[in-house]
Amino acid sequence: MRTQRPLIRSTWAAAGLAVLLTLSACGGSGEDAKKPQKLSETEHNKADVAFASDMIQHHAQALSMVDLTMDRSLDPEVQELADSIRAAQSPEIETMSGWLLQWGEDVPATMRDHVNGGHEGHGDDGDSSMSDSMAGMDADMPGMMSGEDMDALEKASDAEFQDMWLEMMVEHHEGAVEMSETEQGEGRFKPAVDLAGTIIESQSTEIETMEKLLG
């Protein structure tokens, strides 16, 4: 028995040490997984490039939706919201375009570029449409409207336009919030992560406003 007790003790000690090491390793990896991305004022990563590139196109579509409110009869609160979206997102597009140029990346084409490049005057010849300006655009981004969605909004009657616009913009904003949350979790360039936080805050507030307007 004497010869067995030390062996048993050694076996249990070894097993206990193995468990402790395993728990320690698991705990360490869990902590590492929860650590936020180390941010930099100068360095960027692929997530930053993807965020800026995608959000430029996403914002541009929101501005195209705002363009469609022109000459429409809107409630004052909805008109104020449309003006606010334009005032916020146009400068953000400029900021993100500047980052991409600084990083040596291409600034993506947007549907507004296509419109301004000669596709304006939708309906003038009976052939052009909002979906034409989305040719080559990525409609798979969160909250991004399809060409058919944009055509439907453009052709909506005055009676149905406002509610349709609000419903589509809520979905669009929810997509922008989702994209911004990804940037906050994976981005490295602090100004981009900060902008993502601004987008989350401002667009979440606008979502609440729009949902109230929809009743």
Side-chain angles (χ1 to χ4, degrees):
M1 294 293 294
R2 279 184 190 172
T3 58
Q4 290 178 351
R5 288 177 67 87
L7 179 59
I8 292 172
R9 265 193 209 130
S10 298
T11 302
W12 278 105
L17 179 60
V19 170
L20 286 173
L21 288 173
T22 301
L23 290 174
S24 175
C26 291
S29 62
E31 290 172 4
D32 291 341
K34 293 178 182 177
K35 286 181 180 177
Q37 173 74 43
K38 186 175 180 181
L39 301 181
S40 170
E41 293 286 352
T42 56
E43 298 179 5
H44 67 282
N45 61 14
K46 291 181 179 179
D48 298 314
V49 174
F51 171 72
S53 298
D54 291 349
M55 194 61 79
I56 285 171
Q57 297 175 73
H58 205 270
H59 272 16
Q61 186 177 71
L63 293 177
S64 292
M65 292 168 67
V66 170
D67 290 342
L68 291 179
T69 65
M70 297 174 64
D71 301 324
R72 293 282 190 166
S73 178
L74 304 176
D75 291 343
E77 297 87 351
V78 179
Q79 184 62 62
E80 182 179 350
L81 180 65
D83 293 341
S84 177
I85 291 171
R86 186 190 300 280
Q89 297 195 23
S90 291
E92 288 173 355
I93 288 176
E94 293 298 322
T95 296
M96 291 183 287
S97 297
W99 291 339
L100 291 174
L101 291 174
Q102 177 184 333
W103 299 336
E105 303 285 346
D106 293 332
V107 176
T110 71
M111 64 181 299
R112 280 169 68 81
D113 295 330
H114 291 178
V115 169
N116 295 333
H119 291 282
E120 66 272 20
H122 299 301
D124 290 348
D125 57 9
D127 295 324
S128 60
S129 65
M130 291 297 287
S131 56
D132 292 335
S133 64
M134 286 190 63
M137 300 291 101
D138 183 2
D140 293 330
M141 289 180 226
M144 199 77 163
M145 298 296 113
S146 67
E148 291 74 15
D149 292 330
M150 296 297 292
D151 285 346
L153 182 62
E154 182 183 27
K155 296 172 183 176
S157 67
D158 288 340
E160 62 184 358
F161 176 85
Q162 179 170 290
D163 281 354
M164 184 183 294
W165 187 87
L166 287 169
E167 289 168 358
M168 289 173 62
M169 193 63 83
V170 166
E171 182 178 348
H172 203 270
H173 273 30
E174 287 172 344
V177 169
E178 180 182 337
M179 293 163 65
S180 297
E181 288 173 343
T182 299
E183 168 64 9
Q184 285 200 318
E186 300 177 5
R188 175 161 173 73
F189 187 55
K190 187 176 184 301
V193 174
D194 288 344
L195 176 59
T198 297
I199 291 172
I200 291 171
E201 181 178 358
S202 62
Q203 298 205 21
S204 293
T205 299
E206 289 174 349
I207 288 170
E208 292 179 7
T209 298
M210 290 186 284
E211 288 177 337
K212 288 178 182 177
L213 290 171
L214 284 166

